[in-house]
Amino acid sequence: MQYNSVCHSRNIILYLNLIIMKPESLMMSYGYKPELSAGAVKSPIFLTSTFAFQSAEEGKAFFEIAYGFRTPEQGEELGFIYSRLNNPKLSILEERLTVWDGAEEAAVLESGMAAISTVLLEFLSPGDLLLTSGPLYGGSYYFINKVLPKFGISVVDFRVGQTKEQLREIVKNSGKADRLSMIYIETPANPTNDLIDIEMGREVAEYFSTGEKQIYVVVDNTYMGPVWQQPLKHGADLVLYSATKYIGGHSDVIAGACLGSGELLARVKKLRTFLGNMASPHTCWLLMRSLETLKARMDIQAANANKVAEFLLNHPNVERVYFPGTLNEADGMQYLIRQKQCLTNGGMISFDVKGGEKEAFQFLNALKLIKLAVSLGSTESLAEHPATMTHVDIESPYKEQLRITEKLVRISIGIENHEDIISDMKQALESVG
Ligand SMILES: *Cc1c(COP(=O)(O)O)cnc(C)c1O
């Protein structure tokens, strides 16, 4: 019983802490009571597959709640049963992760794709219609457009800049407006930094929702979250993360997360139990360690990104920079969404090198400090070529229409000294042509 209460910290003291303290102050302790783990300052890893019940009655009660046969009574918590269902490390991490987004519940899974695919499978049924923004992360694009249709799910998409009236038209023109079940948004979009208005997604969802059917708005917040953008506050029902990126932040772990209301997360966690794609205690340990420095890392990354973008804007071998910080009033809606939704300009910059694939590759091959690798959000700066790497699966000419062209390079800004990042990019840009 002792460890059951280790994780479930929904008690007055922690709630009060949450009200008066900033999330970064809670990342070392929230959801964990040292006195229940021999005084260990850091929560131990429980490498156990199964947990002993104190009585058969207790085991029965745990299963009733885990399988949703009854709702927990006041103060009753889900006891530990088996590590595919829950584990102390997983529960503490999930509790802690809710702080940033102000979510009721979180589920942590073994990859971002595990979080995304589990949510799509849980909330879509054969015959349903899914509306997505474009572009999407390559893996999400593949799952949505190549795997979901095998289960009888139709997909339509919209582009940056389209209005809610246009979104309604897209849904109506599909002929399946009555089967719309989810609006899936990625903002800022990987790799173009296009911004999508989450509130607009909510309005379209409400327009098509009926008394019997609620249409869910799901947002992949990997590019800005959880520190710089909190989609639940703008009308999203569920937030998704590749925790491999900023949350993990050290390029040493693959993980994913989903956050939202207790009601929706109960469904996500139930399917996770049967897909068996929960995060392992070891993954949770790495993520908890990372959460302690999340704000500090992301602050440096955002500050560095602003300086790098400024450098790129003024470089003769750079044709165009895609970065929220370069938006101004002349950019209309994109600028307004930036002001409304994002707390910083983020740490991701894409830009067009003057020329094409040859010049983009010359730049990438000449980098010395910045690693030529996919992934993002880590302490070290990374550079890649979306058209032939992360987004290679997207068909032409759709790919080019999304501005994922041969000259596009994507940079994830790390925590190195900004002068070193800039001088590396400067020498690499000079080698172009
Ligand atoms: C990387 C990424 C994913 C996939 O996450 P994994 O942890 O690699 O499974 C999903 N969405 C976005 C925006 C990403 O950048």
Side-chain angles (χ1 to χ4, degrees), residues 111-114 116 137 140 186 190 220 222-223 242-245 254-255 376:
S111 69
M113 283 313 302
I116 292 166
Y137 169 72
S140 313
E186 187 178 303
N190 182 353
D220 183 336
T222 300
Y223 246 50
S242 168
T244 310
K245 314 294 167 53
I254 299 277
L376 61 100

Side-chain angles (χ1 to χ4, degrees), residues 326-402:
T326 62
L327 297 169
N328 56 46
E329 268 140 42
D331 295 294
M333 277 313 291
Q334 286 292 290
Y335 176 73
L336 294 177
I337 300 169
R338 154 70 183 87
Q339 297 307 96
K340 177 167 73 167
Q341 247 166 233
C342 314
L343 298 172
T344 71
N345 298 315
M348 296 297 298
I349 304 173
S350 290
F351 64 94
D352 289 334
V353 180
K354 271 199 189 130
E357 185 182 288
K358 178 167 151 270
E359 287 75 14
F361 280 14
Q362 277 173 343
F363 168 78
L364 290 169
N365 289 334
L367 290 169
K368 294 192 171 87
L369 174 71
I370 301 171
K371 299 276 175 306
L372 175 48
V374 300
S375 199
L376 61 100
S378 185
T379 45
E380 73 282 319
S381 296
L382 300 171
E384 66 118 3
H385 189 248
T388 59
M389 297 171 188
T390 45
H391 293 72
V392 65
D393 234 17
I394 302 176
E395 304 86 5
S396 297
Y398 179 58
K399 184 156 73 175
E400 288 73 23
Q401 285 162 10
L402 296 172

Side-chain angles (χ1 to χ4, degrees), residues 14-39:
L14 284 170
Y15 265 133
L16 285 178
N17 277 346
L18 186 57
I19 293 163
I20 55 172
M21 289 191 199
K22 299 277 190 294
E24 60 268 31
S25 308
L26 299 172
M27 286 302 108
M28 281 57 83
S29 58
Y30 188 73
Y32 172 64
K33 294 182 188 146
E35 63 272 25
L36 298 175
S37 291

Side-chain angles (χ1 to χ4, degrees), residues 70-267:
R70 64 176 174 85
T71 45
E73 285 157 31
Q74 191 76 28
E76 189 183 10
E77 287 155 354
L78 174 58
F80 294 111
I81 297 173
Y82 182 67
S83 287
R84 178 156 48 72
L85 280 74
N86 56 1
N87 177 283
K89 203 72 182 166
L90 182 61
S91 297
I92 297 168
L93 169 63
E94 288 172 346
E95 187 87 29
R96 200 166 288 180
L97 197 56
T98 60
V99 172
W100 292 100
D101 282 288
E104 270 174 38
E105 294 278 342
V108 179
L109 297 94
E110 205 55 14
S111 69
M113 283 313 302
I116 292 166
S117 56
T118 301
V119 163
L120 291 167
L121 291 174
E122 174 58 30
F123 295 99
L124 294 169
S125 304
D128 278 355
L129 177 70
L130 169 66
L131 175 66
T132 79
S133 62
L136 296 176
Y137 169 72
S140 313
Y141 178 85
Y142 184 91
F143 190 83
I144 285 171
N145 291 286
K146 310 278 164 72
V147 179
L148 287 182
K150 286 201 251 180
F151 296 95
I153 292 155
S154 313
V155 184
V156 285
D157 74 340
F158 66 97
R159 309 281 168 79
V160 60
Q162 289 193 296
T163 61
K164 61 179 174 241
E165 289 75 22
Q166 289 172 308
L167 266 60
R168 294 206 292 244
E169 283 308 301
I170 292 170
V171 171
K172 285 177 185 161
N173 291 342
S174 74
K176 300 192 114 198
D178 58 326
R179 294 302 304 265
L180 180 68
S181 287
M182 185 192 289
I183 300 177
Y184 184 97
I185 292 170
E186 187 178 303
T187 184
N190 182 353
T192 50
N193 266 324
D194 286 329
L195 303 177
I196 307 290
D197 189 347
I198 299 166
E199 242 172 57
M200 175 181 77
R202 173 88 263 152
E203 283 171 32
V204 175
E206 291 308 322
Y207 179 86
F208 289 104
S209 289
T210 61
E212 295 94 69
K213 189 179 182 192
Q214 178 67 47
I215 292 152
Y216 297 117
V217 177
V218 177
V219 176
D220 183 336
N221 197 33
T222 300
Y223 246 50
M224 281 268 177
V227 176
W228 300 323
Q229 179 174 272
Q230 284 104 34
L232 297 178
K233 296 175 185 160
H234 299 278
D237 296 295
L238 289 169
V239 187
L240 292 165
Y241 289 106
S242 168
T244 310
K245 314 294 167 53
Y246 286 103
I247 295 173
H250 295 72
S251 295
D252 57 5
V253 64
I254 299 277
C258 172
L259 294 92
S261 70
E263 189 193 333
L264 298 186
L265 263 289
R267 290 179 58 180

